[in-house]
């Protein structure tokens, strides 16, 4: 390891880097890509051929051995990659620090959320300057002294990673159940704190993070994960004050393609167990007023039938896609949930995304023309009416509506130029009050920026929306552009405000979101055309968006960058293989890149219940199609864009070894010319580091990578 700077051979890197010599060697300076002057040479992972065969097709995976998380040689290789990235990024340290200070200056370090009324208390969260984690508190709704429920800074002491999942007050608000993850693996410990006494019961391990209280307040329901696959598959009832081995198994999801969770209706009357997979749902309900009656199924599971349930008075509201591609809304009596009556019919141009029930009204979240609309439906007379928004693209959704009996509706709103706001509609007067708007420091003035919504033409003629934002004074001049994409699971990527992006915009960047197929921005068909054996549309849509932005002179190929994470990292890997010439640089965060091998292994989390998203490679047609785009399998001898790839050692959703193997194969196969950096967070999972300042430092590092590539002649890393 003599090519590494001496500083990296001291301190915490020393042992790992030296051990890495067992499993990987360093290239010499003669091996470096032409035109690059690097302060260190990348590690080269040892090849250990592993034969994989399916449908008569043989693949040889040279890096299959990297899937052993506890293997010292694997850890050594990851440490060597981290050390190399650290060495290459060292010249940008001053820029990283400058960016970090900018990002910190834009947030309100001392801040408090809008209190949420729930019974006799108002619950809220505050942050304090210099502290990584929030502090969760409450006050009497009628006024009174603050009670600190959880100071996550104290709870996180000694942990490299810390995350709190659900926190749910008991019906009498004397206790609160909560879930914590100290590893990043999504395996939670569920604990119950008696707020009055201040003591805490710590008995539940291996949970999924969701919690629901029994109406009596003497028990909680929680979900356990399979310790190997991490599938959420069992619902248990825990009696307060007893040990976990006395808990009662309430429900077990035996179908490996399904996971489950437990929740409680806003009305508090019903507990619900929801089993779901990509194409089917099954909901069980338990009447809190008559728990001895047992659990009832709303509609038995049926392939292709997805539905959700809420409770309102004497009826259930059921959002269903039965005979309705874009979903419709029906009601059913509580006594006979199988008797359905139409409330809102199916509409070809409108996707019914969600329904929220209250005592005197319900609210639908609908998507038309790629934009979300909130529609209020009064009961007992009165026509439904929308809440209007002005920006060309935006994100909106209900938030903080804990109480069922209310005449006020709270929602959040932001756009690419409008900081996040919490607003409240008075249903009696029609007045809208702005309860809070995110304060953005650092001299931010929203009039300095302009957002647009444009359309690219895909290879099959489909129009693909693009939302973008840039400084007003940069309009008309091609400049660097960061194009973000996701395009999976029907997840729509709405245009929201992100104060971090300002550091790029103020340095001449345009930020754009490609609303590619695989999301649901334009309705359910938009999702259907970007999954299974139409998945290639996701990638070609993204490429078309990049080409359009170049053709319309928003940017140039020498200044076009791409960003995506998780399934969006799959998108990054696919377009890097398909059109490496189009992008100057790519950031792939926790990328899902070894599609075929992962989907053939049903012991890996997320595999079995995602066959209807990606396909089942046990079926030869699916196998061949998935193989045709799998980024790891399609790596070839060509020059790739400059790339930064990140992962977390404890990632439960995309295993760390997928990007690790991909990087190793790229190093061995790609033609000279592209810089490839790989960073593995050794104490984090899918969401990355857990502290807010640590997260901002990671953003600063990513932006420094991008900015370092904008001008080759002035680049601090090339």
């Amino acid at each position: 390891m003599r090519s590494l700077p001496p500083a990296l051979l001291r301190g915490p890197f020393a042992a790992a880097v030296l051990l890495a010599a067992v499993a990987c060697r360093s290239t010499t300076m003669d091996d470096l890509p032409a035109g690059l002057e690097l302060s260190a040479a990348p590690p080269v992972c040892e090849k250990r051929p592993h034969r994989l065969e399916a449908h008569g097709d043989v693949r040889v995976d040279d890096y299959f051995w990297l899937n052993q998380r506890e293997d010292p040689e694997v850890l050594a290789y990851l440490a060597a990659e981290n050390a190399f990235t650290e060495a290459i990024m060292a010249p940008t340290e001053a820029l990283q620090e400058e960016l970090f200070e900018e990002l910190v200056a834009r947030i309100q370090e001392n801040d408090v959320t809008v209190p949420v009324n729930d019974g006799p208390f108002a619950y809220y969260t505050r942050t304090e300057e210099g502290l990584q984690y929030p502090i969760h508190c409450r006050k009497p709704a009628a006024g009174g002294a603050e009670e600190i429920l959880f100071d996550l800074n104290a709870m996180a002491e000694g942990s490299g990673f810390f995350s709190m999942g659900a926190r749910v007050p008991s019906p009498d608000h004397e206790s609160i159940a909560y879930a914590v993850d100290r590893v990043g693996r999504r395996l939670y410990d569920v604990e119950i704190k008696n707020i009055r006494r201040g003591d805490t019961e710590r008995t539940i391990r291996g949970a999924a993070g969701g919690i629901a209280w029994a109406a009596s307040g003497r028990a909680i329901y929680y979900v356990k994960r399979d310790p190997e696959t991490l599938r959420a598959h069992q619902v248990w009832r825990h009696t307060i004050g007893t040990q976990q081995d006395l808990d009662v198994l309430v429900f077990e999801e035996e179908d490996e393609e399904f996971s489950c969770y437990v929740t409680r209706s806003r009305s508090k009357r019903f507990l619900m167990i929801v089993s779901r997979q990509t194409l089917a749902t099954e909901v069980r309900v338990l009447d809190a007023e008559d728990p001895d009656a047992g659990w009832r199924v709303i509609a038995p599971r049926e392939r292709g039938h997805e539905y959700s349930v809420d409770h309102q008075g004497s009826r259930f509201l059921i959002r269903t896609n039965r005979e309705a591609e874009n979903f419709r809304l029906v009601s059913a009596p509580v006594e006979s949930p199988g008797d359905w009556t139409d409330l809102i019919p199916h509409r070809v141009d409108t996707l019914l995304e969600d329904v929220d029930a209250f005592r005197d009204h319900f609210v639908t979240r609908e998507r038309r023309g790629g934009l979300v609309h909130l529609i209020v439906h009064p009961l007992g007379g009165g026509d439904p009416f929308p809440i209007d928004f002005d920006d060309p693209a935006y994100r909106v959704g209900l938030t903080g509506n804990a109480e069922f009996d209310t005449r006020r509706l709270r929602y959040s709103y932001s756009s690419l130029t409008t900081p996040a706001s919490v607003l409240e509609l008075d249903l009696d007067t029609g007045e809208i009050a702005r309860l809070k708007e995110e304060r953005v420091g650092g001299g931010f003035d929203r009039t300095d920026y302009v957002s647009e919504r444009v359309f690219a033409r895909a290879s099959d003629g489909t129009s693909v929306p693009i939302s973008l934002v840039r400084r007003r004074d940069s309009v008309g001049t091609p400049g660097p552009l960061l194009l973000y994409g996701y395009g999976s699971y029907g997840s729509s990527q709405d245009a929201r405000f992100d104060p971090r992006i300002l550091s790029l915009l103020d340095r001449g960047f345009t930020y754009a979101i490609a609303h590619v197929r695989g999301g649901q921005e334009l309705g359910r068909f938009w999702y259907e055309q970007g999954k299974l054996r139409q998945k290639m549309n996701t990638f070609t849509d993204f490429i078309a968006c990049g080409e359009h932005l170049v053709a319309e002179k928003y940017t140039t190929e020498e200044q076009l960058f791409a960003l995506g994470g998780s399934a969006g990292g799959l998108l990054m890997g696919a377009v890097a293989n398909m059109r490496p010439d189009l992008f100057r640089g790519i950031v792939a965060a926790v990328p899902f890149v070894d599609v075929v091998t992962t989907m053939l292994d049903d012991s890996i989390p997320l595999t079995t219940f995602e066959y209807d998203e990606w396909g089942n490679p046990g079926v030869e047609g699916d196998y061949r199609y998935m193989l045709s785009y799998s980024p790891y399998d399609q790596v070839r001898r060509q020059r790739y864009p400059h790339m930064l790839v990140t992962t977390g050692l404890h990632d439960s959703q995309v295993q760390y070894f997928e990007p690790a193997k991909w990087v190793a194969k790229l190093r061995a196969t790609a033609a000279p010319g592209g810089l490839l950096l790989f960073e593995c967070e050794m104490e984090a999972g899918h969401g990355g580091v857990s502290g807010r300042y640590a997260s901002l430092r990671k953003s600063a590092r990513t932006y420094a990578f991008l900015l370092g590539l904008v001008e080759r002649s002035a680049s601090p890393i090339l």
Side-chain angles (χ1 to χ4, degrees):
M1 307 306 292
R2 53 189 169 86
S3 62
L4 290 172
L8 294 179
L9 298 181
R10 297 192 295 268
F13 281 111
V17 171
L18 291 174
L19 183 57
V22 176
C24 60
R25 62 178 176 85
S26 289
T27 56
T28 67
M29 295 303 291
D30 292 336
D31 295 320
L32 292 176
L36 302 188
E37 295 180 1
L38 306 181
S39 58
V44 176
C45 190
E46 179 183 333
K47 293 183 178 181
R48 301 179 186 177
H50 180 82
R51 180 185 173 93
L52 297 166
E53 184 172 359
H55 308 294
D57 180 54
V58 176
R59 293 177 298 137
V60 176
D61 188 345
D62 290 327
Y63 307 105
F64 189 85
W65 67 276
L66 290 175
N67 69 355
Q68 301 300 315
R69 182 180 285 101
E70 305 299 327
D71 188 331
E73 290 185 329
V74 172
L75 296 175
Y77 171 67
L78 298 175
E81 286 284 2
N82 284 345
F84 172 69
T85 297
E86 192 72 24
I88 300 309
M89 292 297 293
T92 71
E93 287 180 357
L95 176 59
Q96 289 184 54
E97 191 61 30
E98 177 185 328
L99 289 163
F100 173 71
E101 294 297 334
E102 285 181 14
L103 299 180
V104 171
R106 290 200 181 96
I107 67 171
Q108 293 300 310
E109 296 185 82
N110 295 304
D111 201 5
V112 61
T113 62
V114 177
V116 175
N117 289 335
D118 186 0
F121 292 95
Y123 292 82
Y124 59 95
T125 298
R126 57 182 175 83
T127 55
E128 293 184 2
E129 183 176 351
L131 297 183
Q132 289 273 19
Y133 296 98
I135 302 168
H136 300 300
C137 311
R138 75 178 186 184
K139 291 181 179 179
E146 174 182 274
E147 292 180 276
I148 294 179
L149 301 175
F150 306 107
D151 182 346
L152 269 56
N153 300 282
M155 296 173 71
E157 285 185 5
S159 299
F161 178 93
F162 186 88
S163 176
M164 179 170 280
R167 51 186 191 280
V168 186
S170 61
D172 62 6
H173 292 266
E174 288 195 4
S175 297
I176 186 166
Y178 60 98
V180 292
D181 176 5
R182 294 179 173 87
V183 176
R185 192 73 176 153
R186 295 189 306 145
L187 281 170
Y188 290 84
D189 296 336
V190 174
E191 305 172 353
I192 301 102
K193 178 178 180 178
N194 185 292
I195 302 170
R196 179 174 53 82
R197 295 195 308 265
D199 56 25
T200 299
E201 175 186 328
R202 297 183 171 93
T203 59
I204 299 171
R205 303 289 181 263
I211 305 163
W213 281 87
S216 66
R218 295 192 295 269
I220 62 169
Y221 293 83
Y222 66 94
V223 178
K224 287 188 69 173
R225 292 192 185 277
D226 182 290
E228 296 299 322
T229 67
L230 300 187
R231 182 172 68 95
H233 69 131
Q234 294 176 336
V235 178
W236 292 75
R237 185 178 67 247
H238 170 77
T239 300
I240 307 304
T242 65
Q243 296 299 311
Q244 186 175 3
D245 57 7
L246 297 177
D247 292 355
V248 177
L249 178 63
V250 173
F251 170 76
E252 182 165 13
E253 180 50 71
E254 296 181 350
D255 191 327
E256 292 185 351
E257 292 192 18
F258 281 75
S259 64
C260 63
Y261 66 91
V262 63
T263 187
R264 195 170 177 184
S265 64
R266 181 182 283 108
S267 67
K268 308 297 186 187
R269 181 175 169 185
F270 286 93
L271 285 160
M272 300 183 185
I273 296 174
V274 181
S275 293
R276 62 181 181 182
Q277 56 101 250
T278 307
L279 294 180
T281 315
E282 186 174 65
V283 179
R284 288 168 168 76
V285 298
L286 178 69
D287 191 336
E289 296 179 0
D290 186 16
D292 293 335
W295 295 86
R296 294 183 296 159
V297 174
I298 296 293
R301 68 186 63 185
E302 175 185 343
R303 183 170 175 80
H305 184 210
E306 302 169 58
Y307 68 96
S308 59
V309 179
D310 206 348
H311 168 248
Q312 186 183 58
S314 62
R315 66 181 182 177
F316 292 117
L317 299 181
I318 303 170
R319 171 184 166 270
T320 173
N321 72 341
R322 180 176 287 168
E323 300 177 354
E325 181 184 43
N326 279 336
F327 291 83
R328 60 189 171 108
L329 184 65
V330 302
S331 67
V334 165
E335 293 77 16
S336 54
D339 297 334
W340 290 6
T341 301
D342 272 322
L343 290 179
I344 300 177
H346 174 258
R347 293 157 292 176
V348 175
D349 65 343
T350 301
L351 173 66
L352 179 60
E353 285 195 329
D354 202 5
V355 181
D356 283 88
F358 299 87
R359 191 193 68 176
D360 298 321
H361 63 281
F362 65 87
V363 181
T364 55
R365 175 185 163 103
E366 305 177 0
R367 190 176 291 274
R368 278 188 306 280
L371 297 176
V372 172
H373 304 267
L374 296 181
I375 313 297
V376 180
H377 302 258
L379 301 185
D383 295 328
F385 60 90
I387 302 174
D388 296 322
F389 314 105
D390 297 326
D391 289 295
Y394 53 83
R395 172 183 284 188
V396 67
L398 298 190
T399 184
N401 296 285
E403 297 191 319
F404 182 68
D405 185 2
T406 179
R407 296 295 298 164
R408 296 179 183 274
L409 181 69
R410 190 175 293 182
Y411 59 97
S412 62
Y413 177 85
S414 77
S415 74
L416 290 171
T417 58
T418 305
S421 300
V422 177
L423 302 103
E424 191 171 76
L425 169 65
D426 187 317
L427 294 173
D428 294 319
T429 67
E431 294 181 357
I432 295 176
R434 189 177 301 273
L435 303 182
K436 179 181 175 65
E437 180 174 289
E438 178 183 7
R439 291 180 293 169
V440 182
F444 170 74
D445 182 344
R446 72 188 67 190
T447 63
D448 289 340
Y449 307 90
V450 59
S451 66
E452 297 178 63
R453 193 169 179 87
V454 299
F455 291 84
R457 182 73 61 184
S459 56
D460 63 357
T462 300
S463 291
V464 182
I466 307 170
S467 301
L468 57 89
V469 61
R470 51 185 168 165
R471 281 191 64 91
R472 193 175 299 275
D473 55 19
S474 71
V475 173
T477 304
L481 186 147
L482 179 60
L483 181 62
Y484 171 79
Y486 188 76
S488 291
Y489 303 109
S491 177
S492 299
Q493 304 304 299
D494 291 321
R496 67 178 180 88
F497 187 81
D498 184 350
R500 295 172 299 175
I501 294 296
L502 298 175
S503 287
L504 290 180
L505 301 185
D506 289 348
R507 288 172 172 82
F509 266 79
T510 294
Y511 176 68
I513 303 169
H515 302 287
V516 296
R517 281 174 282 187
Q520 289 188 133
E521 287 90 340
L522 296 181
R524 186 68 173 190
F525 84 97
W526 202 246
Y527 173 38
E528 299 293 342
Q529 290 186 8
K531 61 186 289 194
L532 297 172
R533 298 192 194 180
Q534 298 190 81
K535 188 63 195 172
M536 199 67 73
N537 286 334
T538 303
F539 316 136
T540 54
D541 282 1
F542 191 83
I543 290 169
C545 288
E547 292 174 335
H548 177 81
L549 293 167
V550 170
E552 294 300 315
K553 301 189 185 313
Y554 288 94
T555 187
T556 64
E557 289 185 359
E558 293 74 26
Q559 299 179 93
L560 178 59
F561 299 86
L563 167 67
S566 193
L570 163 64
L571 172 59
M572 297 299 102
V575 301
N577 285 329
M578 296 167 65
R579 282 296 308 277
D581 57 305
L582 183 59
F583 302 95
R584 171 115 173 108
I586 289 177
V587 177
V590 291
F592 175 42
V593 285
D594 191 12
V595 182
V596 175
T597 304
T598 290
M599 294 303 296
L600 280 168
D601 186 351
D602 60 12
S603 71
I604 295 177
L606 297 185
T607 293
T608 55
F609 49 93
E610 292 203 347
Y611 290 147
D612 290 312
E613 178 72 28
W614 311 107
N616 181 354
V619 176
E620 184 171 2
D622 287 356
Y623 173 87
R624 300 289 179 184
Y625 188 83
M626 295 162 72
L627 192 64
S628 72
Y629 67 76
S630 173
Y632 183 62
D633 294 288
Q634 294 303 318
V635 169
R636 59 182 69 102
R637 182 71 174 176
Q638 61 183 2
R639 177 169 175 169
Y640 281 83
H642 306 299
M643 289 197 285
L644 172 62
V645 182
T646 67
T647 190
L649 182 63
H650 300 289
D651 195 332
S652 61
Q653 291 158 272
V654 177
Q655 305 297 307
Y656 74 91
F657 49 78
E658 291 199 38
K661 289 167 51 177
W662 184 44
V663 167
K665 189 172 184 179
L666 283 166
R667 291 212 192 283
T669 308
L675 175 64
L676 176 59
L677 299 181
F678 178 48
E679 192 166 54
C680 179
E681 289 292 341
M682 307 304 282
E683 294 184 298
H686 197 63
V689 293
S690 54
R692 61 170 174 162
Y693 292 107
S695 178
L696 292 178
R697 285 204 177 276
K698 289 302 175 184
S699 294
R701 193 173 180 85
T702 299
Y703 295 169
F705 172 78
L706 295 170
L707 291 165
L709 297 174
V710 171
E711 294 291 343
R712 176 179 289 271
S713 61
S715 172
I717 60 176
L718 289 182

